[in-house]
Amino acid sequence: MWLARQLAVIRGAAEPLVLVGGVSAGVPFVLDALRIRERVAWFSLDRSAGGDAVAQGNALARAVNRALGAPLLPLALPYRAQVQSLVRHRGDVLPLWLAVRSDGGDFGLLEDLLGIHHHGYRVLLDVDRAEAAPAGWRGRCCVLDGAALRVRREEARDALPAGLDDGTVERLLRESDAGFGALMAGAQRAAGLPRLLVPGPEGVSVDEGAAEVVEPALAVLALRSEGDVVGALELAVLRAPHLVEDLLRLAGPRYQEEGLLERLHLLLSAVPDPYARRERVLEWRLVAAFAMNDMSAVAAD
């Protein structure tokens, strides 16, 4: 009932949409349900892509290609070129939703996506708070937050596991502020069921409140085993620099192929000694510095 109500509002909106509240409000569950019914290019922008036009363009390209099942957009191009390509190819691509999760970083792509709405694309922004939406969105978007996303009492009874008494349901609604994600996570615990899995663009994850803290090196290895060598390298630089040299064997070529050598240059400049002077680290520092015309910082090493 709750999902059906939210989907009816979203699919009927004439403007771009801003959904405020994130996981606790149940936004990923709405997007997952929308993806079942419509063609949706769903992706996230984290702070590491802030101010990086190519990283944002890559995120958009991967999501669109995944949704279409075809390599329409190449990697290693800035987001503005990718958006222009979507406008040119709209006759072959539409209908398509562009759904973006943003944490409020420096993402020029979001402003461009609000503009592409006028070319027939449906646009949905997922933010934890209204301040994380791009400048100038007010008056241009349909906003769902607060009361609009709260679960009604009759909807809660329909959605929650059977066997929970009325008192427990009332308590869960109160503690979650009637947010669908927080409500379902609490209900899973109350019913003794497995932890809530939250849908995402590339699969499911454990609810943040149920996540476990692990050693950085283990997290790096987990990211690598999942094929996210870019994420693994960025975490390793910050928390496990002894793993950087080995990771560069796979991550260095990936950064190069995806047009992210500027990002790699900044990243490797933060590797502490003695790890910054190891052979493969020096090799990729040199490659990235050459691409950025900034050899002086690396040449001496």
Side-chain angles (χ1 to χ4, degrees):
M1 292 174 63
W2 179 83
L3 274 175
R5 177 165 63 89
Q6 302 305 331
L7 285 173
V9 172
I10 288 169
R11 296 170 82 183
E15 306 86 11
L17 292 121
V18 177
L19 273 60
V20 183
V23 174
S24 63
V27 175
F29 300 93
V30 176
L31 293 179
D32 191 49
L34 180 66
R35 181 169 57 178
I36 293 171
R37 295 161 177 79
E38 309 265 4
R39 188 158 63 180
V40 181
W42 182 13
F43 62 102
S44 297
L45 294 173
D46 60 33
R47 290 192 179 274
S48 65
D52 189 332
V54 173
Q56 294 171 49
N58 287 348
L60 173 62
R62 287 195 186 93
V64 169
N65 293 344
R66 187 166 58 239
L68 298 179
L72 174 72
L73 302 180
L75 298 179
L77 292 176
Y79 67 80
R80 192 144 290 161
Q82 306 286 24
V83 170
Q84 290 169 352
S85 183
L86 285 176
V87 172
R88 286 196 305 272
H89 293 288
R90 61 186 180 276
D92 301 317
V93 174
L94 294 175
L96 179 68
W97 284 81
L98 300 168
V100 192
R101 165 71 179 166
S102 164
D103 63 2
D106 178 15
F107 303 129
L109 170 59
L110 299 184
E111 183 67 28
D112 279 32
L113 291 183
L114 293 183
I116 202 176
H117 174 81
H118 299 296
H119 295 281
Y121 290 91
R122 306 294 303 276
V123 178
L124 190 153
L125 306 183
D126 164 19
V127 295
D128 285 336
R129 61 194 192 287
E131 294 76 16
W137 66 273
R138 294 185 186 278
R140 301 171 60 189
C141 301
C142 174
V143 182
L144 299 181
D145 62 357
L149 287 174
R150 286 195 179 96
V151 181
R152 297 169 182 169
R153 186 168 284 101
E154 63 273 16
E155 293 171 337
R157 174 52 71 188
D158 180 68
L160 295 182
L164 296 177
D165 59 57
D166 291 342
T168 300
V169 172
E170 290 294 331
R171 176 179 61 80
L172 292 171
L173 278 168
R174 185 173 60 255
E175 292 176 351
S176 65
D177 194 27
F180 183 84
L183 176 67
M184 294 303 296
Q188 297 284 102
R189 291 191 295 271
L193 296 173
R195 295 178 298 185
L196 182 67
L197 298 177
V198 179
E202 298 177 1
V204 297
S205 60
V206 176
D207 169 59
E208 185 176 346
E212 299 177 3
V213 177
V214 299
E215 288 295 322
L218 291 178
V220 169
L221 294 175
L223 288 168
R224 177 176 176 169
S225 68
E226 293 173 359
D228 184 6
V229 293
V230 169
L233 181 65
E234 295 187 359
L235 179 58
V237 168
L238 295 173
R239 302 298 302 274
H242 63 287
L243 298 176
V244 167
E245 183 177 31
D246 184 55
L247 281 169
L248 279 170
R249 184 168 50 85
L250 297 174
R254 182 78 62 85
Y255 275 88
Q256 194 168 36
E257 291 162 6
E258 296 184 6
L260 299 176
L261 286 178
E262 180 178 4
R263 187 168 165 182
L264 183 63
H265 180 48
L266 293 173
L267 192 64
L268 295 184
S269 68
V271 177
D273 283 333
Y275 310 108
R277 297 171 183 268
R278 291 187 174 174
E279 184 175 353
R280 188 174 288 119
V281 180
L282 284 170
E283 175 190 352
W284 281 103
R285 286 176 64 196
L286 192 66
V287 169
F290 182 79
M292 295 300 105
N293 195 27
D294 186 21
M295 294 288 290
S296 59
V298 182
D301 287 350

